[in-house]
Amino acid sequence: MFSIFSIIVSDGLKADTAESDFVYRFLSLYRYLVNSELMFVSIDLSITQCSLTKSDRFNNRNDIFLSGFSDSILQFIAERGNDGQLLHVENIDNAHDLNKTVESKKDSQSNDQQIKLSTKIPMTTLVPHWRTVRVFISSTFKDMHAERDLLTRYVFPELRQRAKSLFVNLYQTDLRWGIAESQSKQSVFLCLNEVYRSDYFIGLIGERYGYMPTSYDIPKDDPRFQWLNKVPIGHSITDLEIQAGAFNSSVIKQNRAFFYLRDPKFLANVPKPWSDDFLPESDDSRIKINQLKQRIRSSGFETFDNYPCTWQGVLNDRPLVTDLEQFAQRVIDNLWTSLQEEYKPEYVLLDDNEIEDNQHRQYRLSFMEHFVSRNKILQDTIKSIGKASVILITGQQGSGKTAAIAAIASTILSRVDSNIKLYEHYVGITRSSLNSISMLRRLLCQMINDHSELANQFPLDQIRTSNYTDLCKILADFLRVRTHPSNIVICIDGIELLDNETLVQTLNFIPKDFNFDKITFILSATEGSNVEETCKHLSNVLTINISTLELLERSEIVRKHLDRFGKKLDEQAFSSQMKFITSKRDSFKPSYLTLICEELLLMTDYEKKITEKLKAIPQRQNLFLLEIFKRLDILFGETYVSTVFGLIYSARQDLTEQELRDLINIFFGLTKTLPPSENFSYPITTTPLQLADFIYNCHILLKPQLYDGPQTVSIASNEIRQIIKTRYIRSNEQQINLYKLLAFYYWCEATGSQWTAMNVKAFEHLPFYLYVGDEHKLFYSILTDLKFIAGKCRVGLIQSLIDDYELIKTPSTIAINTQITSMNKSKLISLTNTKERQINEIVLQQYRSFIQRNSHILAVNPSLIYQQALNELETSPVFDNIQQILSNQQQKSLNNENQITAFVRINKPDNMEQMKYSIEGFTEPIRCLAVSPSGKLNM
């Protein structure tokens, strides 16, 4: 067997980054399909010392992680391969039948046989088939608060993030609360039932044996509990959980139960009276816990025996235990290794349209597991199909419109007798789903595939290359000529989020003056939006407002949400915890109920604290959100919270977690004056663990992640954005400082004055942040620096570069995420006198003209930027700039690494004319061009 090399030289593959996710998925896919012996080498040049390191995520035997570089490392890599590699590469086409083509049928109008590629070549991809996995945490309570808190706040957020790459939704069951007082007599059944519902079992063992019930309240006819008939009274609930989850389990396999035994030496430093919470309850308990430990050690299950920890005192009447890093890392390693083995992603052959279709289908299914049936809405919608031309599902933000659309679609598909063809689109779940053209192309391709009799009349190749206007016409024509007896239902959720303002304001893709017999559009939009207003002018429209939840539906939403984590609220008539929630004034909003549930899940106190918490929750959602922000301020400090949310709020594009962590490090560092120094390196003022804890505690305020993009952090709703604005960005100066911080970071990411990086995002956004951050001199300097311009062209941002020059024309309004106030404008005026400002603007426009005139060249060959600059008139500032660069290069001629090679043009015209027209939209290739320089001839 031989291997193929994949070598990455970088500053290290950082955990939880888009780059790490991409590499991990590529390796998994390549080893699955092509060569299981692929050898992957990552060389981290940010560390000078040469050594062999390891990665918790990349744990294949052929994954090698090195730091530094030397001849011995090169030899080490070379010795791992052999001569078979080249032979394999040369014959890879034959090995995988890549040279074969598909023969089409003979053309009936031709005597010559022709070979055509009649089908699109599918590509292998990960199928987002989402699975739910539960992990049960078993231990006594009083002595294990620190370990359970660590698992809940740090370990499981980390694992939940990793599990997404396997399309796994991971939930932990921590029963410190969740068994209602009215159910206390059923505690054995409830605890063991949760064990059986879980896929993994974690046992945390100290010196306490735990509560021993006087009877085992189990159903006599349930086969899962038959083993308990042979267990005598006197075992603790923790002991019974371990027997159900590991020793007597026929469901949980050997690699799905893990045990962690605390080092008893820890007790030597625990003072009275707190030591009573950690010591055995009695001599009998001491004997039983030692017997249980011995049984665990000899069981063969994965066991971390005598994990270390340290007594740290008491805070808020809670004992503090620290130095649990080894324990936390072992839990992560055990669960992640098992998850990778048990829940491998599925690989199938899909074309690009099928990939997107599958994303939408899985998104709908993800809502159905915990959907609360809103029967009246479903019934009214189903009855109106084929009768109303448009059904608009509307409601306030957070009222459950997407869930309603998903439920309607699932109901239609589940009806065996239904004569309906359903086509669904959920705006915002993938990047392409936000594009109106991509949406229409995808839906039309689905329709044509379902109506093969119309395939010749509506070729798929034409659909895939048509613009928006043509797609609207094709849709109208298709619906007119269609004669199939079935109904067509087109569901579009979140239509106001599409990138096409014309579509949102007019719904012009829906054919006008059209017989909508057997054709229905089902749309969802926020109450009061442009879409709702437009629908009022359409004929035969049914509007269904879903803002109000029925009382029983409210309770069911709470039940199902908490049930994912094995939690329950008391619903007894005279002590109903549920009623404290459902009687709140804003409990008619699903988003409000979700907020309450997520806040309850963050609690780690005993049952008696839950009722107090429920009573204290404000009646209104906006007030409750303020309470959540207050909790975060207390937990992390107002400065930290305001910085993180301020950055998320101010970012022009969603930040990745790595970007956010780097920005926080810069903010709390000592130096952040623009421009950064050449050798600037990010300080370490916050760790990935700290940011993960923060995101875990405020995840309900953030948007869920897209399926097909990097893990980003962004604000969930406009209501939350407004609270952040008023609470943390109180002055214009604070806003400007945030923009300066973002500019500082992206300047570093674009690699300083040499502008040699390939970070597209940094080059795209740096000019914007400099401008809105009141750094107008630096803004002017980079847009008149050919090296920066060359860097931006190199990463393919020609149009973005042209737009940068337009910022100076609109000092009072910036369309993306922010506004520049009159204070900014006055500062701009005070920076320079009127004459100097006018000169700067003229120079900027000359550079803009240069870029626009040469955009067609630079888009294809960005390396010609310097040659094109030399072609400019000698009176041009662009020509002066390139002359200065060449002069500096000659002075440093000893260093020939980045030499610029260009020729001076001697036959330059007297002036450089600006391109005035760009004619687009041709349906056929242009083969002839006639020009009338005088403009007198019409052609």
Side-chain angles (χ1 to χ4, degrees):
M1 180 62 70
F2 53 86
S3 62
I4 296 294
F5 278 117
S6 173
I7 302 177
I8 291 181
V9 180
S10 66
D11 60 349
L13 278 177
K14 301 179 178 65
D16 300 331
T17 62
E19 293 79 7
S20 176
D21 288 342
F22 175 81
V23 172
Y24 181 81
R25 293 186 184 186
F26 168 78
L27 294 176
S28 301
L29 187 60
Y30 191 92
R31 283 169 175 154
Y32 181 83
L33 291 168
V34 181
N35 182 7
S36 61
E37 295 300 313
L38 170 71
M39 180 176 167
F40 169 65
V41 181
S42 174
I43 305 173
D44 184 356
L45 296 183
S46 66
I47 302 175
T48 56
Q49 183 179 0
C50 295
S51 64
L52 181 66
T53 60
K54 67 175 183 176
S55 168
D56 297 324
R57 184 173 192 183
F58 297 82
N59 49 20
N60 187 284
R61 65 187 181 87
N62 281 338
D63 289 342
I64 301 174
F65 281 76
L66 305 172
S67 65
F69 198 74
S70 67
D71 292 340
S72 58
I73 286 180
L74 182 61
Q75 182 180 359
F76 172 74
I77 297 172
E79 289 174 352
R80 289 296 299 269
N82 58 40
D83 295 336
Q85 296 177 34
L86 183 59
L87 181 64
H88 178 75
V89 173
E90 289 176 345
N91 290 280
I92 195 167
D93 288 355
N94 295 328
H96 297 280
D97 297 328
L98 299 180
N99 288 324
K100 292 185 178 180
T101 58
V102 181
E103 294 187 1
S104 64
K105 294 181 179 180
K106 291 182 179 180
D107 189 346
S108 59
Q109 299 178 355
S110 173
N111 293 325
D112 298 327
Q113 185 178 13
Q114 296 182 358
I115 298 176
K116 298 181 180 178
L117 188 64
S118 60
T119 58
K120 290 185 297 177
I121 299 176
M123 58 188 248
T124 305
T125 183
L126 286 168
V127 176
H129 175 62
W130 287 87
R131 282 81 44 101
T132 296
V133 174
R134 291 184 173 87
V135 182
F136 186 87
I137 304 173
S138 173
S139 78
T140 51
F141 287 157
K142 286 185 178 180
D143 58 334
M144 287 291 174
H145 278 305
E147 282 84 346
R148 283 178 176 262
D149 288 348
L150 183 66
L151 292 177
T152 302
R153 292 181 59 178
Y154 297 102
V155 171
F156 278 99
E158 164 74 11
L159 285 168
R160 195 170 295 119
Q161 192 70 23
R162 290 191 188 187
K164 288 179 180 179
S165 66
L166 305 175
F167 305 112
V168 168
N169 288 314
L170 188 67
Y171 302 110
Q172 77 275 12
T173 300
D174 179 351
L175 292 181
R176 278 181 287 184
W177 73 267
I179 298 178
E181 187 176 347
S182 60
Q183 300 171 312
S184 58
K185 294 181 180 180
Q186 300 176 283
S187 56
V188 172
F189 166 72
L190 293 172
C191 290
L192 297 189
N193 187 58
E194 288 301 325
V195 172
Y196 286 129
R197 287 183 65 204
S198 300
D199 305 278
Y200 285 88
F201 183 88
I202 289 179
L204 311 178
I205 312 297
E207 302 305 308
R208 292 176 61 84
Y209 185 61
Y211 167 68
M212 292 179 283
T214 56
S215 64
Y216 301 153
D217 47 301
I218 55 171
K220 295 181 180 179
D221 56 349
D222 193 329
R224 296 178 302 169
F225 301 99
Q226 292 303 309
W227 61 273
L228 263 177
N229 295 327
K230 301 178 182 179
V231 178
I233 300 298
H235 286 71
S236 70
I237 290 182
T238 301
D239 192 337
L240 296 176
E241 288 173 350
I242 291 172
Q243 293 186 56
F247 300 152
N248 296 322
S249 174
S250 60
V251 179
I252 295 184
K253 301 176 184 177
Q254 193 78 5
N255 63 340
R256 291 197 178 194
F258 309 102
F259 291 94
Y260 306 88
L261 279 57
R262 180 195 278 155
D263 189 345
K265 296 177 183 177
F266 155 81
L267 293 171
N269 296 319
V270 182
K272 286 281 189 177
W274 296 103
S275 59
D276 295 339
D277 289 344
F278 294 87
L279 293 169
E281 299 89 336
S282 64
D283 291 338
D284 182 46
S285 295
R286 179 178 289 104
I287 294 172
K288 290 181 177 179
I289 192 64
N290 287 332
Q291 291 175 342
L292 180 60
K293 286 183 179 180
Q294 191 56 41
R295 188 177 179 186
I296 290 170
R297 291 184 179 112
S298 60
S299 66
F301 286 100
E302 170 69 21
T303 302
F304 187 3
D305 201 356
N306 293 327
Y307 68 81
C309 58
T310 305
W311 170 260
Q312 195 66 26
V314 180
L315 180 65
N316 296 329
D317 292 330
R318 292 283 291 272
L320 295 180
V321 179
T322 58
D323 296 332
L324 288 166
E325 291 82 3
Q326 292 184 43
F327 160 77
Q329 191 60 53
R330 187 69 166 264
V331 175
I332 291 175
D333 292 343
N334 290 152
L335 281 172
W336 179 235
T337 301
S338 181
L339 284 169
Q340 287 177 296
E341 288 296 321
E342 298 290 330
Y343 297 93
K344 293 179 180 179
E346 299 177 14
Y347 297 93
V348 296
L349 291 173
L350 298 175
D351 66 30
D352 51 354
N353 285 334
E354 290 171 332
I355 293 170
E356 184 77 7
D357 294 344
N358 194 69
Q359 300 274 30
H360 289 267
R361 183 164 52 253
Q362 290 297 326
Y363 184 74
R364 166 172 49 81
L365 293 174
S366 69
F367 274 87
M368 301 318 299
E369 182 182 359
H370 305 287
F371 178 73
V372 174
S373 176
R374 304 176 76 168
N375 292 325
K376 188 176 185 309
I377 294 169
L378 295 178
Q379 291 171 4
D380 291 346
T381 304
I382 300 299
K383 287 179 182 178
S384 302
I385 290 175
K387 300 174 183 177
S389 58
V390 177
I391 301 174
L392 177 65
I393 308 296
T394 184
Q396 297 179 14
Q397 196 165 27
S399 59
K401 298 182 292 298
T402 299
I405 289 285
I408 291 167
S410 293
T411 302
I412 292 171
L413 292 170
S414 64
R415 294 176 61 175
V416 179
D417 59 340
S418 175
N419 190 24
I420 298 175
K421 293 286 188 181
L422 175 76
Y423 307 97
E424 56 188 336
H425 187 88
Y426 300 90
V427 181
I429 69 164
T430 64
R431 284 166 287 186
S432 63
S433 69
L434 293 161
N435 184 273
S436 58
I437 296 177
S438 296
M439 177 190 74
L440 290 179
R441 285 175 179 167
R442 191 180 71 83
L443 294 175
L444 275 167
C445 286
Q446 284 185 331
M447 293 178 197
I448 301 302
N449 287 330
D450 287 344
H451 296 77
S452 55
E453 71 278 6
L454 299 176
N456 291 332
Q457 193 171 345
F458 300 96
L460 293 181
D461 289 341
Q462 179 186 350
I463 292 173
R464 293 190 183 103
T465 57
S466 296
N467 58 31
Y468 174 75
T469 304
D470 291 339
L471 289 170
C472 292
K473 185 178 184 303
I474 293 172
L475 177 61
D477 292 342
F478 170 81
L479 296 177
R480 284 191 179 93
V481 302
R482 175 182 175 272
T483 58
H484 200 279
S486 63
N487 289 292
I488 278 186
V489 174
I490 300 174
C491 291
I492 304 176
D493 172 60
I495 192 168
E496 75 252 42
L497 301 177
L498 286 169
D499 60 358
N500 190 326
E501 291 185 11
T502 303
L503 181 150
V504 173
Q505 294 173 2
T506 64
L507 299 182
N508 58 353
F509 72 100
I510 299 177
K512 303 297 185 293
D513 302 325
F514 180 68
N515 180 10
F516 279 92
D517 182 35
K518 296 185 178 180
I519 299 167
T520 301
F521 289 84
I522 302 179
L523 314 176
S524 77
T526 305
E527 187 177 351
S529 66
N530 288 333
V531 173
E532 185 179 27
E533 188 63 32
T534 301
C535 283
K536 293 177 181 178
H537 304 291
L538 299 177
S539 59
N540 198 17
V541 176
L542 172 65
T543 300
I544 300 176
N545 192 295
I546 66 167
S547 291
T548 302
L549 278 170
E550 300 295 332
L551 190 61
L552 293 177
E553 293 173 339
R554 302 176 194 183
S555 301
E556 191 62 20
I557 284 178
V558 175
R559 268 189 226 106
K560 286 197 171 185
H561 198 102
L562 294 179
D563 183 62
R564 279 181 277 181
F565 296 86
K567 308 291 188 184
K568 291 179 176 63
L569 293 176
D570 201 324
E571 297 187 49
Q572 293 296 303
F574 298 103
S575 60
S576 176
Q577 294 173 331
M578 182 68 75
K579 190 174 290 184
F580 285 126
I581 296 178
T582 57
S583 61
K584 304 286 185 184
R585 293 182 65 178
D586 273 3
S587 62
F588 66 89
K589 300 179 181 179
S591 58
Y592 178 70
L593 298 177
T594 302
L595 279 172
I596 292 176
C597 292
E598 290 294 331
E599 277 296 288
L600 291 178
L601 291 171
L602 291 172
M603 291 189 64
T604 55
D605 292 331
Y606 287 116
E607 182 75 20
K608 61 184 179 181
K609 297 275 184 82
I610 297 296
T611 300
E612 300 172 11
K613 175 78 173 178
L614 293 175
K615 289 180 180 178
I617 291 175
Q619 298 281 338
R620 294 290 192 185
Q621 179 170 300
N622 63 328
L623 297 177
F624 187 35
L625 286 169
L626 287 172
E627 290 295 319
I628 294 175
F629 280 108
K630 289 178 183 177
R631 171 180 64 79
L632 294 171
D633 287 344
I634 294 171
L635 195 59
F636 297 96
E638 186 174 349
T639 302
Y640 187 89
V641 177
S642 63
T643 302
V644 175
F645 277 118
L647 287 166
I648 299 172
Y649 175 91
S650 304
R652 191 185 190 192
Q653 184 180 340
D654 294 350
L655 297 171
T656 65
E657 290 187 20
Q658 180 64 48
E659 288 174 328
L660 185 57
R661 186 159 62 246
D662 289 340
L663 283 160
I664 296 170
N665 283 330
I666 294 171
F667 178 84
F668 288 100
L670 297 176
T671 304
K672 45 184 175 286
T673 303
L674 278 163
S677 60
E678 288 290 331
N679 57 351
F680 180 82
S681 60
Y682 301 144
I684 300 177
T685 59
T686 188
T687 64
L689 208 58
Q690 288 171 318
L691 184 59
D693 185 27
F694 177 82
I695 291 175
Y696 168 70
N697 274 275
C698 67
H699 69 275
I700 193 61
L701 306 176
L702 305 173
K703 282 182 182 177
Q705 297 296 311
L706 295 179
Y707 287 164
D708 67 337
Q711 301 301 307
T712 58
V713 185
S714 55
I715 299 166
S717 68
N718 289 330
E719 182 180 18
I720 297 172
R721 285 186 64 84
Q722 187 57 42
I723 292 175
I724 293 172
K725 170 67 176 172
T726 55
R727 184 176 180 85
Y728 298 119
I729 310 177
R730 300 186 183 95
S731 67
N732 188 65
E733 184 180 0
Q734 286 178 296
Q735 180 67 86
I736 288 176
N737 286 336
L738 289 167
Y739 287 140
K740 287 183 177 181
L741 179 57
L742 287 159
F744 185 97
Y745 171 68
Y746 284 123
W747 190 301
C748 295
E749 288 296 296
T751 320
S753 62
Q754 298 304 312
W755 310 113
T756 55
M758 292 297 291
N759 190 320
V760 177
K761 197 172 180 180
F763 279 106
E764 182 177 5
H765 299 306
L766 175 57
F768 174 85
Y769 288 125
L770 287 173
Y771 187 70
V772 297
D774 231 8
E775 293 288 347
H776 298 288
K777 289 185 177 179
L778 290 176
F779 170 80
Y780 167 81
S781 69
I782 65 170
L783 290 184
T784 55
D785 182 352
L786 277 175
K787 288 187 177 181
F788 175 82
I789 294 170
K792 193 153 184 173
C793 293
R794 186 178 63 250
V795 297
L797 295 175
I798 301 294
Q799 185 56 52
S800 172
L801 183 59
I802 294 172
D803 293 340
D804 291 338
Y805 292 102
E806 297 298 309
L807 290 173
I808 198 71
K809 293 183 178 181
T810 55
S812 59
T813 305
I814 297 296
I816 303 176
N817 287 350
T818 188
Q819 289 184 340
I820 298 178
T821 64
S822 57
M823 185 181 296
N824 292 48
K825 194 172 180 179
S826 63
K827 285 187 177 181
L828 175 62
I829 295 172
S830 64
L831 265 173
T832 58
N833 57 41
T834 305
K835 184 176 180 181
E836 183 181 354
R837 192 173 69 253
Q838 289 175 345
I839 293 173
N840 289 345
E841 290 182 6
I842 292 171
V843 173
L844 284 175
Q845 290 310 310
Q846 288 177 312
Y847 272 87
R848 181 191 183 282
S849 173
F850 164 70
I851 298 299
Q852 192 168 37
R853 278 186 282 106
N854 293 281
S855 60
H856 60 295
I857 297 174
L858 300 178
V860 179
N861 294 301
S863 59
L864 291 177
I865 178 76
Y866 297 116
Q867 179 62 64
Q868 296 304 109
L870 276 172
N871 292 344
E872 290 292 291
L873 298 177
E874 296 184 3
T875 56
S876 166
V878 179
F879 184 82
D880 291 340
N881 194 177
I882 185 60
Q883 289 287 80
Q884 182 64 42
I885 292 173
L886 293 174
S887 175
N888 292 338
Q889 179 178 279
Q890 289 177 355
Q891 295 174 10
K892 301 176 182 179
S893 58
L894 293 177
N895 182 4
N896 295 318
E897 292 180 2
N898 297 305
Q899 291 290 316
I900 297 172
T901 302
F903 300 93
V904 178
R905 181 179 176 183
I906 59 174
N907 60 337
K908 295 180 183 179
D910 295 333
N911 56 66
M912 295 288 182
E913 291 190 5
Q914 178 68 35
M915 181 177 65
K916 296 181 179 179
Y917 299 103
S918 178
I919 305 173
E920 299 176 351
F922 292 100
T923 57
E924 298 291 336
I926 299 173
R927 296 184 176 88
C928 179
L929 177 64
V931 178
S932 173
S934 65
K936 295 178 180 180
L937 297 179
N938 295 322
M939 293 181 244

